Amino acid sequence: MTLLIHLVFTAPYHWPLAKLNYGLQLSGVISLQLSIGVMLSVILGSAHGTSREWPYMLNYVAVDVPLTNWTKLESGLWYTLDAVTSGLAHASAYYSPKGPILTELE
């Protein structure tokens, strides 16, 4: 959420300098927020389910995402969202106003 607020408040300065980079960053932050929301929903749903039966405590074990009871469509959408989020993060790092970052490191 902090990244989204930062991008919104710096839009008047950032947009004229690098329109493509700003668009990629904004798209990446929105897809990341969606991904985190889905993950939190799955984790909190699991915690809610395990806390309703004896011994009334939470498991300190990671929750698998995607869940095993998801359909192929739901799993495919999750993996697509994950790939889009990763792709946008890497693309916004690649398309900087000065050109690809890799040329600066070589």
Side-chain angles (χ1 to χ4, degrees), residues 51-86:
S51 68
R52 295 290 179 199
E53 45 192 53
W54 180 254
Y56 303 116
M57 61 182 174
L58 304 176
N59 294 329
Y60 293 101
V61 180
V63 177
D64 291 331
V65 178
L67 295 174
T68 55
N69 62 350
W70 280 7
T71 64
K72 288 184 181 183
L73 177 64
E74 290 171 327
S75 296
L77 289 173
W78 168 254
Y79 287 126
T80 302
L81 178 62
D82 197 24
V84 166
T85 303
S86 297

Side-chain angles (χ1 to χ4, degrees), residues 20-21 24 87-103:
L20 177 64
N21 195 346
L24 288 171
L88 287 170
H90 287 89
S92 65
Y94 184 77
Y95 291 107
S96 69
K98 293 180 181 179
I101 293 176
L102 297 176
T103 59

Side-chain angles (χ1 to χ4, degrees), residues 2-86:
T2 305
L3 292 172
L4 184 60
I5 292 170
H6 174 73
L7 281 174
V8 168
F9 281 115
T10 60
Y13 309 105
H14 190 173
W15 178 257
L17 292 174
K19 291 177 177 61
L20 177 64
N21 195 346
Y22 183 78
L24 288 171
Q25 286 183 6
L26 190 61
S27 301
V29 167
I30 291 170
S31 69
L32 179 64
Q33 291 295 322
L34 184 61
S35 174
I36 290 172
V38 170
M39 234 190 274
L40 278 175
S41 173
V42 169
I43 291 168
L44 292 177
S46 173
H48 183 266
T50 58
S51 68
R52 295 290 179 199
E53 45 192 53
W54 180 254
Y56 303 116
M57 61 182 174
L58 304 176
N59 294 329
Y60 293 101
V61 180
V63 177
D64 291 331
V65 178
L67 295 174
T68 55
N69 62 350
W70 280 7
T71 64
K72 288 184 181 183
L73 177 64
E74 290 171 327
S75 296
L77 289 173
W78 168 254
Y79 287 126
T80 302
L81 178 62
D82 197 24
V84 166
T85 303
S86 297

